[in-house]
Structures are given as C-alpha cells and as structure tokens.
C-alpha cells in the first residue's frame, strides 16, 4: 500500500480555500468595533441574553465570546440584523432575548 503524499500544491490550494472562508468567522477588531461594543454596553448592558446580562457578556473576564463576536460583526456590517438575531437565539436559547436583540439592532439602524 502506498503512503499518501501531500504536495505543496495541495497544501497551497487548501490554504486558499480555508483563507477564503475565514472572513465571516472572525469578528472585527479595532477602535470602531470597540466603540460600538461600548455603546451596546452603555445602552443595553442591563438587558439579558440567555441567562446573563449583556454587560457581563461583554466583560473581558467572561469566558463566553460568542455574544461579543456576533455583536461586533453586526456593528461592522459583516452580518445583517436577521442573521444576528438568529445567531443569538440559536446560541442562547434559554430566556427571552428579544428586548436585548432589539436594543442592539436599534443601535445600527
């Protein structure tokens, strides 16, 4: 049986394909993103997503980065309001998320 040989061309092709997918997976970072997240915290921080207040989910000591990542994408225009609401409700199915989602989306409309 012949061992599987991976060529440079195969690796390069795979890297290009994966590189093309990463744009929507990574939340934007920088001053504009931080300013939007600060605005979300100030205006919506007391509302809850799942069982946690937004202020806690945006805290750097929180192990949960999903809310921060999805909210940064919304603020940067990487995802739309419908995708944002769907992503948040899918990841945080417990609790009533609607008031928090409406508050955050209201900051970009």
């Amino acid at each position: 049986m012949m061992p599987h040989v991976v060529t440079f061309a195969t690796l390069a092709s795979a890297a290009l394909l994966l590189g093309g997918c990463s744009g929507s997976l990574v939340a934007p970072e920088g001053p504009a993103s931080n300013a939007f997240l600060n605005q979300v915290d100030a205006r919506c921080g007391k509302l809850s997503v799942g069982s946690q207040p937004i202020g806690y989910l945006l805290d750097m000591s929180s192990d949960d980065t999903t809310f921060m990542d999805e909210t940064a994408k919304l603020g940067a225009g990487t995802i739309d309001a419908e995708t944002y609401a769907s992503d948040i409700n899918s990841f945080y199915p417990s609790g009533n998320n609607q008031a928090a989602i409406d508050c955050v989306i209201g900051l970009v409309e």
Side-chain angles (χ1 to χ4, degrees):
M1 183 170 251
M2 292 204 46
H4 183 65
V5 177
V6 178
T7 66
F8 177 75
T10 304
L11 290 174
S13 295
L16 286 173
L17 288 173
L18 291 175
C21 296
S22 66
S24 64
L25 299 176
V26 178
E29 295 181 18
S33 180
N34 291 339
F36 181 70
L37 293 174
N38 288 339
Q39 184 180 21
V40 169
D41 191 23
R43 298 208 184 155
C44 311
K46 295 190 186 314
L47 299 171
S48 292
V49 170
S51 61
Q52 299 295 334
I54 287 176
Y56 174 77
L57 293 171
L58 292 175
D59 187 352
M60 297 306 281
S61 64
S62 172
D63 290 336
D64 182 351
T65 60
T66 300
F67 181 80
M68 188 181 309
D69 288 346
E70 292 299 311
T71 303
K73 290 178 195 175
L74 177 71
T78 306
I79 60 173
D80 63 16
E82 185 177 331
T83 301
Y84 177 77
S86 175
D87 290 351
I88 294 299
N89 282 323
S90 294
F91 196 80
Y92 304 97
S94 64
N96 182 2
N97 301 331
Q98 197 59 51
I101 290 170
D102 289 346
C103 182
V104 174
I105 291 172
L107 297 175
V108 295
E109 293 182 336

Coordinates of all heavy atoms in Angstrom, one line a residue:
M1 N 0.8 -1.2 0.0 CA 0.0 0.0 0.0 C 0.9 1.2 0.0 O 1.8 1.3 0.8 CB -0.9 0.0 1.2 CG -1.9 1.1 1.3 SD -3.1 0.8 2.6 CE -4.5 0.5 1.6
M2 N 0.6 2.2 -0.9 CA 1.4 3.4 -1.0 C 1.0 4.4 0.1 O -0.2 4.7 0.3 CB 1.3 4.0 -2.4 CG 1.9 3.2 -3.4 SD 2.4 4.0 -4.9 CE 3.2 5.5 -4.4
P3 N 1.9 5.1 0.7 CA 1.5 6.1 1.7 C 1.0 7.3 0.9 O 1.4 7.6 -0.2 CB 2.8 6.4 2.4 CG 3.9 6.0 1.5 CD 3.4 4.8 0.7
H4 N 0.1 8.1 1.6 CA -0.5 9.3 1.0 C 0.5 10.4 1.0 O 1.1 10.7 2.0 CB -1.8 9.7 1.7 CG -2.5 10.8 1.1 ND1 -3.0 10.8 -0.2 CD2 -2.7 12.1 1.5 CE1 -3.6 11.9 -0.4 NE2 -3.4 12.7 0.6
V5 N 0.8 11.0 -0.2 CA 1.8 12.0 -0.3 C 1.0 13.3 -0.5 O 0.2 13.4 -1.4 CB 2.8 11.8 -1.4 CG1 3.7 12.9 -1.6 CG2 3.5 10.5 -1.2
V6 N 1.3 14.3 0.4 CA 0.7 15.6 0.2 C 1.7 16.6 -0.5 O 2.8 16.7 0.0 CB 0.3 16.2 1.6 CG1 -0.3 17.6 1.5 CG2 -0.7 15.3 2.3
T7 N 1.3 17.1 -1.6 CA 2.2 18.0 -2.3 C 2.0 19.5 -1.8 O 1.0 19.8 -1.2 CB 1.9 18.0 -3.8 OG1 0.6 18.5 -4.1 CG2 2.0 16.5 -4.3
F8 N 3.0 20.3 -2.2 CA 2.9 21.7 -1.9 C 1.7 22.3 -2.6 O 1.0 23.1 -2.0 CB 4.2 22.4 -2.4 CG 4.1 23.9 -2.2 CD1 4.2 24.4 -0.9 CD2 3.9 24.8 -3.2 CE1 4.2 25.8 -0.7 CE2 3.8 26.1 -3.0 CZ 3.9 26.6 -1.7
A9 N 1.3 21.9 -3.8 CA 0.2 22.5 -4.5 C -1.1 22.1 -3.7 O -2.0 23.0 -3.6 CB 0.1 21.9 -5.9
T10 N -1.2 20.9 -3.2 CA -2.4 20.5 -2.4 C -2.5 21.4 -1.2 O -3.6 21.9 -0.8 CB -2.3 19.1 -2.0 OG1 -2.1 18.3 -3.2 CG2 -3.5 18.6 -1.3
L11 N -1.4 21.6 -0.5 CA -1.4 22.4 0.7 C -1.8 23.9 0.4 O -2.6 24.5 1.1 CB -0.1 22.3 1.5 CG 0.2 21.0 2.1 CD1 1.6 21.1 2.7 CD2 -0.8 20.7 3.2
A12 N -1.2 24.4 -0.7 CA -1.5 25.8 -1.1 C -3.0 25.9 -1.4 O -3.6 26.9 -1.1 CB -0.6 26.2 -2.2
S13 N -3.5 25.0 -2.1 CA -4.9 25.0 -2.5 C -5.8 25.0 -1.3 O -6.8 25.8 -1.2 CB -5.3 23.9 -3.4 OG -4.6 24.0 -4.6
A14 N -5.5 24.1 -0.3 CA -6.3 24.1 0.9 C -6.2 25.4 1.7 O -7.2 25.9 2.2 CB -5.8 22.9 1.8
A15 N -5.0 26.0 1.7 CA -4.8 27.2 2.5 C -5.7 28.3 1.8 O -6.3 29.1 2.5 CB -3.4 27.6 2.5
L16 N -5.7 28.4 0.5 CA -6.5 29.4 -0.2 C -8.0 29.2 0.1 O -8.7 30.1 0.3 CB -6.2 29.4 -1.7 CG -4.9 29.9 -2.2 CD1 -4.7 29.7 -3.6 CD2 -4.8 31.4 -1.8
L17 N -8.4 27.9 0.0 CA -9.8 27.7 0.3 C -10.2 28.0 1.7 O -11.3 28.7 1.9 CB -10.2 26.2 0.0 CG -10.2 25.8 -1.4 CD1 -10.3 24.3 -1.5 CD2 -11.3 26.5 -2.2
L18 N -9.4 27.7 2.7 CA -9.7 28.0 4.0 C -9.6 29.5 4.3 O -10.4 30.1 5.1 CB -8.8 27.2 5.0 CG -9.0 25.7 5.0 CD1 -7.9 25.1 5.9 CD2 -10.4 25.4 5.6
G19 N -8.6 30.1 3.7 CA -8.5 31.6 3.9 C -9.7 32.3 3.4 O -10.1 33.3 3.9
G20 N -10.3 31.8 2.3 CA -11.5 32.5 1.8 C -12.7 32.4 2.7 O -13.6 33.2 2.7
C21 N -12.7 31.3 3.6 CA -13.8 31.1 4.5 C -13.7 31.9 5.7 O -14.7 32.2 6.4 CB -13.9 29.7 4.8 SG -14.2 28.6 3.5
S22 N -12.5 32.4 6.1 CA -12.3 32.9 7.4 C -12.9 34.3 7.6 O -13.1 34.8 8.7 CB -10.8 32.9 7.8 OG -10.2 33.8 6.9
G23 N -13.2 35.0 6.5 CA -13.7 36.4 6.7 C -14.9 36.6 7.5 O -15.0 37.5 8.3
S24 N -15.9 35.7 7.4 CA -17.1 35.8 8.2 C -17.0 35.1 9.6 O -17.9 35.3 10.4 CB -18.3 35.3 7.4 OG -18.1 33.9 7.2
L25 N -16.0 34.4 9.8 CA -15.8 33.7 11.1 C -15.2 34.5 12.2 O -15.4 34.2 13.3 CB -15.1 32.4 10.9 CG -15.7 31.4 9.9 CD1 -14.7 30.2 9.7 CD2 -17.0 30.9 10.4
V26 N -14.4 35.5 11.8 CA -13.6 36.3 12.7 C -14.3 37.6 12.9 O -14.6 38.3 12.0 CB -12.2 36.4 12.2 CG1 -11.4 37.3 13.2 CG2 -11.6 35.1 12.0
A27 N -14.5 38.0 14.2 CA -15.1 39.3 14.5 C -14.1 40.4 14.2 O -13.0 40.3 14.4 CB -15.6 39.3 15.9
P28 N -14.7 41.5 13.7 CA -13.8 42.7 13.5 C -13.2 43.2 14.8 O -13.9 43.1 15.8 CB -14.7 43.7 12.8 CG -16.0 43.3 13.1 CD -16.0 41.8 13.4
E29 N -12.0 43.7 14.8 CA -11.4 44.4 15.9 C -10.9 45.7 15.6 O -10.6 46.0 14.4 CB -10.2 43.5 16.4 CG -10.6 42.2 16.9 CD -9.5 41.3 17.5 OE1 -8.4 41.9 17.8 OE2 -9.6 40.1 17.6
G30 N -10.8 46.6 16.5 CA -10.3 47.9 16.3 C -11.1 49.0 17.0 O -12.1 48.7 17.7
P31 N -10.7 50.2 16.8 CA -11.4 51.3 17.5 C -12.9 51.4 17.2 O -13.7 51.6 18.1 CB -10.7 52.6 17.0 CG -9.4 52.1 16.6 CD -9.6 50.7 16.0
A32 N -13.3 51.3 16.0 CA -14.8 51.4 15.6 C -15.5 50.2 16.3 O -16.6 50.4 16.8 CB -14.9 51.3 14.1
S33 N -15.0 49.0 16.3 CA -15.7 47.9 16.9 C -15.8 48.1 18.4 O -16.8 47.8 19.0 CB -14.9 46.6 16.6 OG -15.5 45.5 17.2
N34 N -14.7 48.5 19.0 CA -14.7 48.7 20.4 C -15.7 49.8 20.8 O -16.4 49.7 21.8 CB -13.3 49.1 20.9 CG -12.3 48.0 20.9 OD1 -12.7 46.8 20.8 ND2 -11.0 48.2 20.8
A35 N -15.8 50.9 20.0 CA -16.7 52.0 20.3 C -18.2 51.4 20.2 O -19.0 51.8 21.1 CB -16.5 53.1 19.3
F36 N -18.4 50.6 19.2 CA -19.8 50.0 19.1 C -20.1 49.1 20.3 O -21.2 49.2 20.9 CB -20.0 49.3 17.8 CG -21.3 48.7 17.7 CD1 -22.4 49.5 17.4 CD2 -21.6 47.3 17.8 CE1 -23.7 49.0 17.3 CE2 -22.8 46.8 17.7 CZ -23.9 47.6 17.4
L37 N -19.2 48.3 20.7 CA -19.4 47.4 21.9 C -19.6 48.2 23.1 O -20.4 47.9 24.0 CB -18.2 46.4 22.0 CG -18.1 45.4 20.9 CD1 -16.9 44.5 21.1 CD2 -19.4 44.5 20.8
N38 N -18.9 49.3 23.3 CA -19.0 50.2 24.4 C -20.4 50.8 24.4 O -21.1 51.0 25.5 CB -18.0 51.3 24.5 CG -16.6 50.7 24.8 OD1 -16.5 49.7 25.5 ND2 -15.6 51.5 24.5
Q39 N -20.9 51.2 23.2 CA -22.2 51.8 23.1 C -23.3 50.7 23.5 O -24.3 51.0 24.1 CB -22.4 52.3 21.7 CG -23.8 53.0 21.4 CD -23.9 53.4 20.0 OE1 -23.2 53.0 19.1 NE2 -24.8 54.4 19.8
V40 N -23.1 49.5 23.0 CA -24.0 48.4 23.4 C -24.1 48.2 24.9 O -25.1 48.1 25.5 CB -23.6 47.1 22.6 CG1 -24.4 45.9 23.2 CG2 -23.9 47.2 21.1
D41 N -22.9 48.2 25.5 CA -22.8 48.1 26.9 C -23.6 49.2 27.7 O -24.3 49.0 28.6 CB -21.4 48.0 27.4 CG -21.2 47.5 28.8 OD1 -22.1 46.9 29.4 OD2 -20.2 47.8 29.4
A42 N -23.3 50.4 27.2 CA -23.9 51.6 27.9 C -25.5 51.6 27.7 O -26.2 51.9 28.7 CB -23.3 52.9 27.3
R43 N -26.0 51.3 26.6 CA -27.4 51.4 26.3 C -28.2 50.1 26.5 O -29.4 50.2 26.8 CB -27.6 51.9 24.9 CG -27.0 53.2 24.6 CD -27.8 53.9 23.6 NE -27.1 55.2 23.3 CZ -27.2 55.9 22.2 NH1 -28.0 55.4 21.2 NH2 -26.6 57.0 22.0
C44 N -27.6 49.0 26.4 CA -28.3 47.7 26.5 C -27.7 46.8 27.6 O -28.2 45.6 27.7 CB -28.2 47.0 25.2 SG -28.6 47.9 23.7
G45 N -26.7 47.2 28.3 CA -26.0 46.3 29.3 C -26.8 45.7 30.3 O -26.4 44.6 30.8
K46 N -27.9 46.2 30.7 CA -28.7 45.6 31.8 C -29.7 44.6 31.3 O -30.3 43.8 32.1 CB -29.4 46.7 32.6 CG -28.5 47.6 33.3 CD -29.2 48.5 34.3 CE -28.3 49.6 34.9 NZ -27.1 49.1 35.5
L47 N -29.9 44.5 30.0 CA -30.8 43.5 29.4 C -30.1 42.2 29.3 O -28.9 42.2 29.2 CB -31.2 44.0 28.0 CG -32.0 45.3 28.0 CD1 -32.2 45.8 26.5 CD2 -33.3 45.2 28.7
S48 N -30.9 41.1 29.3 CA -30.3 39.8 29.3 C -30.4 39.1 28.0 O -31.4 39.2 27.3 CB -30.9 38.9 30.4 OG -30.6 39.4 31.7
V49 N -29.3 38.3 27.7 CA -29.3 37.3 26.6 C -29.1 36.0 27.3 O -28.1 35.8 28.0 CB -28.2 37.7 25.6 CG1 -28.0 36.5 24.6 CG2 -28.5 39.0 24.9
G50 N -30.0 35.0 27.0 CA -29.9 33.8 27.8 C -30.1 34.1 29.2 O -31.1 34.7 29.6
S51 N -29.2 33.7 30.1 CA -29.4 34.0 31.5 C -28.4 35.0 32.0 O -28.3 35.2 33.2 CB -29.2 32.6 32.3 OG -27.9 32.1 32.0
Q52 N -27.7 35.7 31.1 CA -26.7 36.7 31.5 C -27.0 38.1 31.0 O -27.4 38.2 29.9 CB -25.3 36.3 31.0 CG -24.8 34.9 31.5 CD -24.6 34.9 33.0 OE1 -24.3 35.9 33.6 NE2 -24.7 33.7 33.5
P53 N -26.7 39.1 31.8 CA -26.9 40.5 31.3 C -25.8 40.7 30.2 O -24.7 40.2 30.3 CB -26.7 41.3 32.5 CG -26.2 40.5 33.6 CD -26.4 39.0 33.2
I54 N -26.2 41.6 29.3 CA -25.2 41.9 28.2 C -23.9 42.5 28.8 O -22.8 42.2 28.3 CB -25.9 42.9 27.3 CG1 -26.9 42.2 26.4 CG2 -24.8 43.6 26.4 CD1 -27.7 43.1 25.5
G55 N -24.0 43.3 29.8 CA -22.8 43.9 30.5 C -21.8 42.8 30.9 O -20.6 42.9 30.7
Y56 N -22.3 41.7 31.4 CA -21.5 40.6 31.8 C -20.9 39.9 30.6 O -19.7 39.5 30.5 CB -22.2 39.5 32.6 CG -21.4 38.3 32.9 CD1 -20.5 38.3 33.9 CD2 -21.6 37.1 32.2 CE1 -19.7 37.2 34.2 CE2 -20.8 36.0 32.5 CZ -19.9 36.1 33.4 OH -19.1 35.0 33.7
L57 N -21.7 39.7 29.5 CA -21.2 39.0 28.3 C -20.2 39.8 27.6 O -19.3 39.3 26.9 CB -22.4 38.7 27.4 CG -23.4 37.7 27.9 CD1 -24.6 37.7 27.0 CD2 -22.8 36.3 28.0
L58 N -20.2 41.1 27.8 CA -19.2 42.0 27.1 C -17.9 42.2 28.0 O -16.9 42.8 27.6 CB -19.8 43.4 26.8 CG -20.8 43.4 25.7 CD1 -21.4 44.8 25.5 CD2 -20.2 42.9 24.4
D59 N -18.0 41.7 29.2 CA -16.8 41.8 30.2 C -15.7 40.9 29.7 O -15.9 39.8 29.3 CB -17.3 41.4 31.6 CG -16.2 41.7 32.6 OD1 -15.1 42.0 32.3 OD2 -16.6 41.5 33.8
M60 N -14.5 41.5 29.7 CA -13.3 40.7 29.2 C -13.0 39.5 30.0 O -12.4 38.6 29.6 CB -12.1 41.6 29.1 CG -12.2 42.8 28.1 SD -12.7 42.2 26.5 CE -11.1 41.7 25.9
S61 N -13.5 39.4 31.2 CA -13.3 38.3 32.1 C -14.2 37.1 31.8 O -14.1 36.0 32.3 CB -13.3 38.7 33.6 OG -14.6 39.1 33.9
S62 N -15.3 37.4 31.0 CA -16.2 36.3 30.7 C -15.6 35.3 29.7 O -14.9 35.7 28.8 CB -17.5 37.0 30.0 OG -18.3 35.9 29.5
D63 N -15.8 34.1 29.9 CA -15.3 33.0 29.0 C -16.1 32.9 27.7 O -15.7 32.3 26.8 CB -15.4 31.7 29.7 CG -14.3 31.6 30.8 OD1 -13.3 32.3 30.8 OD2 -14.5 30.7 31.7
D64 N -17.3 33.5 27.7 CA -18.2 33.5 26.6 C -17.9 34.6 25.6 O -18.1 35.8 26.0 CB -19.6 33.6 27.1 CG -20.7 33.5 26.0 OD1 -20.3 33.5 24.8 OD2 -21.8 33.4 26.3
T65 N -17.4 34.3 24.5 CA -17.1 35.4 23.5 C -18.0 35.4 22.3 O -17.9 36.3 21.5 CB -15.6 35.1 22.9 OG1 -15.6 33.9 22.3 CG2 -14.6 35.2 24.0
T66 N -19.0 34.5 22.3 CA -20.0 34.5 21.2 C -20.8 35.8 21.0 O -20.9 36.3 20.0 CB -20.9 33.3 21.3 OG1 -20.1 32.1 21.3 CG2 -21.9 33.2 20.2
F67 N -21.3 36.2 22.1 CA -22.1 37.5 22.1 C -21.3 38.6 21.6 O -21.7 39.4 20.7 CB -22.7 37.8 23.4 CG -23.6 39.1 23.4 CD1 -24.8 39.0 22.9 CD2 -23.0 40.3 23.8 CE1 -25.6 40.2 22.8 CE2 -23.8 41.4 23.7 CZ -25.1 41.4 23.2
M68 N -20.1 38.8 22.1 CA -19.2 39.9 21.7 C -18.8 39.8 20.2 O -18.9 40.8 19.5 CB -17.9 39.9 22.6 CG -17.0 41.1 22.3 SD -15.5 41.1 23.3 CE -16.1 40.8 25.0
D69 N -18.5 38.6 19.8 CA -18.1 38.4 18.4 C -19.3 38.7 17.4 O -19.1 39.4 16.5 CB -17.7 36.9 18.1 CG -16.3 36.6 18.7 OD1 -15.6 37.6 19.1 OD2 -15.9 35.5 18.8
E70 N -20.5 38.1 17.7 CA -21.6 38.4 16.9 C -22.0 39.9 16.9 O -22.4 40.4 15.8 CB -22.8 37.5 17.3 CG -22.6 36.0 17.1 CD -22.4 35.7 15.6 OE1 -23.2 36.1 14.8 OE2 -21.5 34.9 15.3
T71 N -21.9 40.5 18.0 CA -22.3 41.9 18.1 C -21.3 42.8 17.4 O -21.7 43.7 16.7 CB -22.4 42.3 19.6 OG1 -23.4 41.4 20.2 CG2 -22.9 43.8 19.8
A72 N -20.0 42.4 17.5 CA -19.0 43.2 16.7 C -19.3 43.0 15.2 O -19.1 44.0 14.4 CB -17.6 42.7 17.1
K73 N -19.6 41.8 14.7 CA -19.9 41.6 13.3 C -21.1 42.5 12.9 O -21.1 43.0 11.8 CB -20.2 40.1 13.1 CG -19.0 39.2 13.2 CD -19.5 37.8 12.9 CE -18.5 36.8 13.4 NZ -19.0 35.4 13.2
L74 N -22.2 42.5 13.7 CA -23.3 43.3 13.4 C -22.9 44.8 13.3 O -23.3 45.5 12.3 CB -24.4 43.2 14.5 CG -25.6 44.1 14.3 CD1 -26.5 43.6 13.1 CD2 -26.5 44.1 15.6
G75 N -22.2 45.3 14.2 CA -21.8 46.7 14.2 C -20.9 47.1 13.0 O -21.0 48.2 12.5
A76 N -20.1 46.1 12.5 CA -19.3 46.3 11.4 C -20.0 46.1 10.1 O -19.4 46.4 9.0 CB -18.0 45.4 11.5
G77 N -21.2 45.6 10.1 CA -21.9 45.3 8.9 C -21.6 44.0 8.2 O -22.0 43.8 7.1
T78 N -20.9 43.2 8.9 CA -20.5 41.9 8.4 C -21.7 40.9 8.3 O -21.7 40.1 7.5 CB -19.3 41.2 9.3 OG1 -18.3 42.2 9.4 CG2 -18.8 40.0 8.7
I79 N -22.6 41.1 9.3 CA -23.8 40.3 9.2 C -25.0 41.3 9.4 O -24.8 42.4 9.9 CB -23.9 39.2 10.4 CG1 -23.8 39.9 11.8 CG2 -22.8 38.2 10.2 CD1 -24.0 38.9 12.9
D80 N -26.2 40.9 8.9 CA -27.3 41.7 9.0 C -28.1 41.4 10.3 O -27.8 40.5 11.0 CB -28.2 41.6 7.7 CG -28.8 40.2 7.5 OD1 -28.8 39.4 8.5 OD2 -29.2 39.9 6.4
A81 N -29.2 42.2 10.5 CA -29.9 42.1 11.7 C -30.6 40.8 11.9 O -30.7 40.2 12.9 CB -31.0 43.2 11.8
E82 N -31.1 40.2 10.8 CA -31.8 38.9 10.8 C -30.8 37.8 11.2 O -31.1 36.9 12.0 CB -32.4 38.6 9.4 CG -33.3 37.4 9.4 CD -33.9 37.2 8.0 OE1 -34.2 38.2 7.3 OE2 -34.2 36.0 7.7
T83 N -29.6 37.8 10.6 CA -28.6 36.8 10.9 C -28.2 37.0 12.4 O -28.0 36.0 13.1 CB -27.4 37.0 10.0 OG1 -27.8 36.8 8.6 CG2 -26.3 36.0 10.3
Y84 N -28.0 38.2 12.8 CA -27.6 38.4 14.2 C -28.7 37.8 15.2 O -28.3 37.1 16.1 CB -27.5 39.9 14.5 CG -27.2 40.3 15.9 CD1 -25.9 40.1 16.4 CD2 -28.1 40.8 16.7 CE1 -25.6 40.5 17.7 CE2 -27.9 41.1 18.1 CZ -26.6 40.9 18.5 OH -26.3 41.2 19.8
A85 N -29.9 38.2 14.9 CA -31.0 37.7 15.8 C -31.0 36.1 15.8 O -31.1 35.5 16.9 CB -32.3 38.2 15.4
S86 N -30.9 35.5 14.6 CA -30.9 34.1 14.5 C -29.7 33.5 15.2 O -29.9 32.5 16.0 CB -30.9 33.7 13.0 OG -30.8 32.3 12.9
D87 N -28.5 34.0 15.0 CA -27.3 33.5 15.7 C -27.4 33.6 17.2 O -27.1 32.6 17.9 CB -26.1 34.3 15.2 CG -25.7 34.0 13.8 OD1 -26.3 33.0 13.2 OD2 -24.8 34.7 13.2
I88 N -27.9 34.7 17.7 CA -28.0 34.9 19.2 C -29.0 34.0 19.7 O -28.8 33.3 20.7 CB -28.4 36.4 19.5 CG1 -27.2 37.3 19.1 CG2 -28.7 36.5 21.0 CD1 -25.9 37.1 19.8
N89 N -30.2 33.9 19.1 CA -31.3 33.0 19.6 C -30.9 31.5 19.5 O -31.3 30.7 20.3 CB -32.6 33.2 18.9 CG -33.3 34.4 19.4 OD1 -33.3 34.7 20.6 ND2 -33.9 35.2 18.5
S90 N -30.0 31.1 18.5 CA -29.6 29.8 18.4 C -28.6 29.4 19.5 O -28.6 28.3 20.0 CB -28.9 29.5 17.0 OG -29.9 29.6 16.0
F91 N -27.7 30.3 19.8 CA -26.6 30.1 20.8 C -27.1 30.2 22.2 O -26.6 29.6 23.1 CB -25.4 31.0 20.5 CG -24.2 30.5 21.2 CD1 -23.4 29.5 20.7 CD2 -23.8 31.1 22.4 CE1 -22.3 29.0 21.4 CE2 -22.7 30.6 23.1 CZ -21.9 29.6 22.6
Y92 N -28.1 31.1 22.4 CA -28.6 31.4 23.8 C -30.1 31.1 23.8 O -30.9 32.0 23.8 CB -28.4 32.9 24.2 CG -26.9 33.3 24.1 CD1 -26.4 34.0 23.0 CD2 -26.1 33.0 25.2 CE1 -25.1 34.4 23.0 CE2 -24.8 33.4 25.1 CZ -24.3 34.1 24.0 OH -23.0 34.5 24.0
P93 N -30.5 29.8 23.7 CA -31.9 29.5 23.6 C -32.7 29.7 24.9 O -33.9 29.8 24.8 CB -31.9 28.0 23.2 CG -30.6 27.5 23.8 CD -29.7 28.6 23.7
S94 N -32.1 29.8 26.0 CA -32.9 30.0 27.3 C -33.1 31.5 27.5 O -32.3 32.3 27.2 CB -32.1 29.4 28.4 OG -30.9 30.0 28.7
G95 N -34.3 31.7 28.1 CA -34.6 33.1 28.4 C -35.2 33.9 27.2 O -35.4 33.3 26.2
N96 N -35.6 35.1 27.5 CA -36.2 35.9 26.5 C -35.2 36.9 26.0 O -34.9 37.9 26.7 CB -37.5 36.6 27.1 CG -38.2 37.5 26.0 OD1 -37.8 37.5 24.9 ND2 -39.2 38.1 26.5
N97 N -34.7 36.7 24.8 CA -33.6 37.5 24.2 C -34.1 38.7 23.5 O -33.3 39.6 23.1 CB -32.8 36.7 23.3 CG -32.1 35.5 24.0 OD1 -31.9 35.5 25.2 ND2 -31.9 34.4 23.2
Q98 N -35.4 38.8 23.2 CA -35.9 39.8 22.2 C -35.6 41.2 22.6 O -35.2 42.0 21.7 CB -37.4 39.6 22.0 CG -37.9 40.2 20.7 CD -37.2 39.7 19.5 OE1 -37.1 38.5 19.3 NE2 -36.6 40.6 18.7
A99 N -35.8 41.6 23.8 CA -35.6 43.0 24.2 C -34.1 43.4 24.0 O -33.8 44.5 23.5 CB -36.0 43.2 25.7
A100 N -33.2 42.5 24.4 CA -31.8 42.7 24.2 C -31.4 42.8 22.7 O -30.7 43.7 22.3 CB -31.0 41.6 24.9
I101 N -31.9 41.9 21.9 CA -31.7 41.9 20.5 C -32.2 43.2 19.8 O -31.5 43.8 19.1 CB -32.3 40.6 19.8 CG1 -31.5 39.4 20.2 CG2 -32.3 40.8 18.3 CD1 -32.1 38.1 19.8
D102 N -33.4 43.5 20.2 CA -34.0 44.8 19.6 C -33.1 46.0 20.0 O -32.9 46.9 19.2 CB -35.4 45.0 20.1 CG -36.4 44.0 19.5 OD1 -36.0 43.3 18.5 OD2 -37.5 43.9 20.1
C103 N -32.7 46.0 21.2 CA -31.8 47.1 21.7 C -30.5 47.2 20.9 O -30.2 48.3 20.4 CB -31.5 47.0 23.2 SG -30.5 48.3 23.9
V104 N -29.9 46.1 20.7 CA -28.6 46.1 20.0 C -28.8 46.5 18.5 O -28.1 47.3 18.0 CB -27.9 44.7 20.1 CG1 -26.7 44.7 19.2 CG2 -27.5 44.5 21.6
I105 N -29.8 45.8 17.9 CA -30.1 46.1 16.5 C -30.5 47.6 16.3 O -30.1 48.2 15.3 CB -31.2 45.2 15.9 CG1 -30.6 43.8 15.8 CG2 -31.7 45.6 14.6 CD1 -31.6 42.7 15.5
G106 N -31.2 48.1 17.3 CA -31.6 49.5 17.2 C -30.4 50.5 17.1 O -30.5 51.6 16.7
L107 N -29.2 50.1 17.6 CA -28.1 50.9 17.6 C -27.4 51.0 16.2 O -26.6 51.9 16.0 CB -27.0 50.4 18.6 CG -27.5 50.5 20.1 CD1 -26.5 49.9 21.0 CD2 -27.8 51.9 20.5
V108 N -27.8 50.1 15.3 CA -27.2 50.1 14.0 C -28.2 50.5 12.9 O -27.8 50.8 11.8 CB -26.6 48.7 13.6 CG1 -25.4 48.4 14.4 CG2 -27.6 47.6 13.6
E109 N -29.4 50.7 13.2 CA -30.4 51.1 12.3 C -30.6 52.6 12.2 O -30.3 53.3 13.1 CB -31.7 50.4 12.5 CG -31.6 48.9 12.3 CD -32.9 48.1 12.5 OE1 -33.8 48.6 13.2 OE2 -33.1 47.1 11.9

